[in-house]
Each structure stands twice: as structure tokens, then as C-alpha cells.
């Protein structure tokens, strides 16, 4: 069990160092780094399942300590998984804000007066036609 535990422990520390690469990665490679880290985390979770089985097979005087060490590794990996999800959420939010900002910058705005006049002029034209036809009828076709 000990060599397998040491290997898994080493992988956890490697992932912790890779997490720093997320912040410095450019937009094109950040997805690759995220996928790489997620694959490593998934692999460690499968190793932890095996380590739990191995720790239960340890001699009674070593079993509690072995389970404690495996639980600590599991906690560390869950923490890394949460950190990765938080990073992905922040990145998604940032990208969404950038898209919205670009959309606003590319939109052409008009003033309220020109919008009111644009729709209002059509209404005035139709009202003017109605008034002319009513006055024509009232005045006896003059």
C-alpha cells in the first residue's frame, strides 16, 4: 500500500502546482490545462478507491493510521476539484461579461427623442389623415 500511497500523494502535489498554470495560461490553452487537471483528478479518485480497499487490509495496528492518511488525501483532492470548478466558473463569468461588453460597444444607440419622433411621426401622419377626412365629411366635401 505504501508505494501506491506515495505515488498518489505525489500526483496530488503535481496537480497543486498545475493549478497555478491556470491563471497564467492564455485563452486558447486554458481549456487544455483544465482538461489535463480534471483527468488527473479523476485518476486520483480511482486510486483513492483502491487505497481505501488496501487500507482496510492493513494489520489492525496500522489500519487506523492508513485510513486517516487516505481520508486526508481524499480531502485534498476534493479541495482541488472545488478549486478547479471555482476557476472555471470565474472564467465563464468573465467571458460572458466580455461578450456582453463587446455587444454593447458594437450596438448603435439612438436618443429617446429620436425614438419617440420616429414612431410618433407615423402616428401623427395617420392622425392628420383622419382629421382631414373628418373635416372633409363635416364641411360637406369642401
Amino acid at each position: 500500500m505504501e508505494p501506491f500511497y506515495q505515488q498518489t500523494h505525489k500526483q496530488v502535489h503535481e496537480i497543486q502546482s498545475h493549478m497555478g498554470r491556470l491563471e497564467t495560461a492564455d485563452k486558447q490553452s486554458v481549456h487544455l490545462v483544465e482538461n489535463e487537471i480534471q483527468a488527473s483528478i479523476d485518476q486520483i479518485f480511482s486510486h483513492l478507491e483502491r487505497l481505501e480497499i488496501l487500507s482496510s487490509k492493513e494489520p489492525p495496528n496500522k489500519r487506523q493510521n492508513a485510513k486517516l492518511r487516505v481520508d486526508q488525501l481524499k480531502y485534498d483532492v476534493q479541495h482541488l476539484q472545488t478549486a478547479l470548478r471555482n476557476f472555471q466558473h470565474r472564467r465563464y463569468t468573465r467571458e460572458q461579461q466580455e461578450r456582453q461588453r463587446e455587444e454593447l460597444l458594437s450596438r448603435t444607440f439612438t436618443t429617446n427623442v429620436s425614438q419617440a419622433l420616429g414612431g410618433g411621426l407615423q402616428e401623427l401622419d395617420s392622425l392628420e389623415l383622419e382629421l382631414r377626412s373628418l373635416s372633409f365629411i363635416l364641411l360637406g366635401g369642401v
Side-chain angles (χ1 to χ4, degrees), residues 56-121:
S56 66
K57 294 180 179 181
E58 285 287 306
N61 59 338
K62 294 183 179 181
R63 190 174 301 147
Q64 184 178 4
N65 189 33
K67 285 186 178 194
L68 193 66
R69 292 170 69 197
V70 171
D71 286 345
Q72 182 62 47
L73 268 183
K74 189 186 294 187
Y75 173 80
D76 291 345
V77 176
Q78 288 171 342
H79 179 73
L80 290 172
Q81 180 74 64
T82 302
L84 178 62
R85 285 191 184 133
N86 287 341
F87 175 83
Q88 289 171 327
H89 179 69
R90 283 193 317 271
R91 180 182 50 79
Y92 173 75
T93 303
R94 188 171 48 247
E95 288 173 356
Q96 187 177 17
Q97 288 172 345
E98 287 173 10
R99 281 192 301 274
Q100 290 171 344
R101 189 177 305 114
E102 287 301 318
E103 182 183 316
L104 284 173
L105 289 173
S106 65
R107 182 181 293 174
T108 54
F109 289 96
T110 57
T111 63
N112 290 340
V113 172
S114 63
Q115 286 179 343
L117 287 179
L121 287 178

Side-chain angles (χ1 to χ4, degrees), residues 21 29 31 38 42 48-49 52 60 66 69 75-76 78 81 89 91 105 109 114 120 123 126 135:
R21 287 181 26 211
S29 63
H31 295 289
Q38 186 59 56
D42 293 341
L48 288 171
E49 290 173 8
E52 284 180 326
R69 292 170 69 197
Y75 173 80
D76 291 345
Q78 288 171 342
Q81 180 74 64
H89 179 69
R91 180 182 50 79
L105 289 173
F109 289 96
S114 63
E123 290 176 28
S126 65
S135 63

